[in-house]
Amino acid sequence: AQSPAGVAKKGTGYRVNPENVSGAIKISRLTNIAFEDKSSREGLQYNKTFEVFKRLIAQIIHIFELDRSYIAQHMDEYDKFVNQDSRNKEEADKLAIQIIRRSREKKDNQGSSNNESSDPEIEVLAYAVESKNEEIE
């Protein structure tokens, strides 16, 4: 439960959170003779059978984790494939805004000793992106 790995992480690092696991296990005294009740009736005695039982449940949950991670990895790859263009556009818009902001700050500070060189082609491209976004709006 303390693993920080996301569900789409490659490998076996993903662990399901306890709040995402729910279920019931029915144990009968007739069919599970090796399980012994505690004298206080609050649970089962910690013996070898109980330890095997705990490991079995942990392995079932681990199989669930692997299955869920496998599906999430493929969904993540599909999402990256389908939405790459829109992500690139958003990144280009952010970069254009940053370049334009720096360009305007540089023009405002022309009187000061600002030796920062800028590429005019990049500024032209940034202004073209801004202009295109305004035209679309």
Side-chain angles (χ1 to χ4, degrees):
Q2 295 181 8
S3 174
V7 68
K9 182 181 186 312
K10 297 214 185 274
T12 59
Y14 170 69
R15 298 290 178 254
V16 67
N17 292 326
E19 62 267 9
N20 291 339
V21 177
S22 176
I25 299 170
K26 296 182 181 183
I27 300 171
S28 167
R29 288 185 190 188
L30 300 174
T31 58
N32 299 298
I33 299 170
F35 287 121
E36 298 172 8
D37 288 334
K38 285 185 177 179
S39 59
S40 63
R41 301 288 182 205
E42 293 177 349
L44 298 172
Q45 292 284 347
Y46 293 107
N47 58 18
K48 189 170 185 128
T49 304
F50 185 73
E51 287 300 318
V52 170
F53 178 68
K54 280 187 355 183
R55 282 193 214 144
L56 177 66
I57 300 304
Q59 285 300 316
I60 290 170
I61 292 172
H62 182 67
I63 291 169
F64 165 74
E65 291 168 341
L66 292 175
D67 184 57
R68 185 171 181 199
S69 181
Y70 176 81
I71 292 168
Q73 288 172 17
H74 288 286
M75 288 176 64
D76 186 49
E77 289 174 17
Y78 177 74
D79 178 63
K80 287 177 184 174
F81 174 74
V82 169
N83 296 316
Q84 189 62 40
D85 289 341
S86 63
R87 287 191 185 108
N88 288 342
K89 185 178 180 322
E90 288 176 17
E91 187 65 28
D93 290 342
K94 288 177 187 176
L95 286 172
I97 291 168
Q98 290 175 359
I99 292 168
I100 291 169
R101 188 177 302 136
R102 276 189 247 138
S103 174
R104 289 180 181 156
E105 288 174 0
K106 184 179 175 186
K107 287 178 184 175
D108 291 343
N109 296 330
Q110 276 183 344
S112 65
S113 61
N114 191 352
N115 296 333
E116 187 178 317
S117 63
S118 64
D119 189 356
E121 292 175 347
I122 292 175
E123 287 183 18
V124 168
L125 183 60
Y127 281 109
V129 168
E130 182 184 47
S131 173
K132 190 65 148 173
N133 288 341
E134 288 175 2
E135 183 180 318
I136 290 171
E137 286 178 15

